[in-house]
Amino acid sequence: MSDHEAESLMEKISEKVHDLKDDSSSSSDSDDDNKISAMKSKVFRLFGREKPLHNVFGSGKPADLLLWKDKKVSGGILGGVTIIWFLFEVLEYHLLTLVCHSLILTLAILFLWSNASTFIKKSPPKIPEVAIPEKPLMEIVSSLRIEINQGLAAIRHIASGKDLKKFLSVIAGFWFVSIISNCCNFLTLVYILLVLLFSVPVTYDKYEDKIDPLAEKAWIEIKKQYAVLDVKVLSKIPRSMKELKEKKKV
């Protein structure tokens, strides 16, 4: 074998070895990526979500408000709601009284400013023209109508006696709400819900890596307790009155 043939043979062998190394490294990289994605998919997320919390809330302005992306706007809304609650609950203002006093104060300031501007040689206040746009109002009314119709359809289905379990769960839910309403009035309940909306999501978004493992343990325990309840109680409840009559006949 000549020197030229030997050199070409060695070059071919080195190319083969290099290709094998590249294939093995690329396959190992792809395996690592697959393992990482599989591990991410196996991580427990609260409510079984797979998307980021911002996408769960719609990725729009409501999500930005609840997750405090704009701290000034979110803080302003929460502060305004707190002031309203303080006026009605602590100072015991009535709605009509508050509206009338606010209008009196606003009109008096604007009226005096408009008339005094000629004497103090300053421009009068620019009062904006406020009008309710038709299109957003109709969209809100339409979406509200759809939700109300769905609620009425659900109530009709429950009242028809086709699902006894759902009937009992709804009755228990209404009973729980009635107990809460005895502890606080409607305005305080709405204020508590708003405070929770503006505090719980942003707290979870910040500490989700610590909250999710705890939530996973709690969810496993809840599933165990529900399985026991289902075997001992729920499975013995007939799904409808027809099924209850058939069991009585048997």
Side-chain angles (χ1 to χ4, degrees), residues 5-38:
E5 290 177 351
E7 288 178 359
S8 63
L9 182 62
M10 292 298 294
E11 287 178 358
K12 289 181 180 180
I13 293 172
S14 62
E15 287 176 359
K16 289 275 187 181
V17 172
H18 184 69
D19 292 338
L20 288 172
K21 286 183 178 179
D22 290 340
D23 292 339
S24 62
S25 63
S26 61
S27 62
S28 64
D29 291 339
S30 62
D31 291 339
D32 292 338
D33 293 338
N34 292 330
K35 288 179 181 179
I36 292 171
S37 61

Side-chain angles (χ1 to χ4, degrees), residues 19 37 41 50 59 86 107 117 130 133 136 146 156 181 187 212-213 216 238:
D19 292 338
S37 61
S41 63
E50 297 179 355
S59 301
F86 182 81
L107 290 174
S117 60
V130 181
I146 293 171
R156 182 178 179 274
S181 63
L187 184 61
D212 284 337
E216 183 179 11

Side-chain angles (χ1 to χ4, degrees), residues 15 23 26 32 38-40 42 62 72 83 86 96 100 102 107 120 132 134 181 183 185 189 191 204 219 243:
E15 287 176 359
D23 292 339
S26 61
D32 292 338
M39 287 175 66
K40 286 184 177 179
K42 289 180 181 180
K72 291 183 179 179
I83 291 171
F86 182 81
L96 187 58
C100 290
S102 300
L107 290 174
I120 61 177
I132 299 175
E134 181 180 358
S181 63
C183 301
N185 57 25
L189 182 61
Y191 175 68
Y204 173 71
W219 181 244
E243 186 179 344

Side-chain angles (χ1 to χ4, degrees), residues 67-126:
L67 296 178
W68 292 71
K69 299 299 182 181
D70 191 342
K71 295 182 179 180
K72 291 183 179 179
V73 177
S74 299
I77 292 174
L78 187 59
V81 171
T82 303
I83 291 171
I84 292 172
W85 175 81
F86 182 81
L87 289 172
F88 285 118
E89 289 299 315
V90 180
L91 300 182
E92 296 183 352
Y93 251 98
H94 296 287
L95 178 61
L96 187 58
T97 305
L98 179 63
V99 171
C100 290
H101 286 178
S102 300
L103 289 175
I104 289 170
L105 182 62
T106 304
L107 290 174
I109 292 172
L110 292 175
F111 182 82
L112 293 174
W113 189 0
S114 299
N115 286 278
S117 60
T118 56
F119 297 102
I120 61 177
K121 295 181 180 181
K122 287 189 177 182
S123 60
K126 295 180 180 179

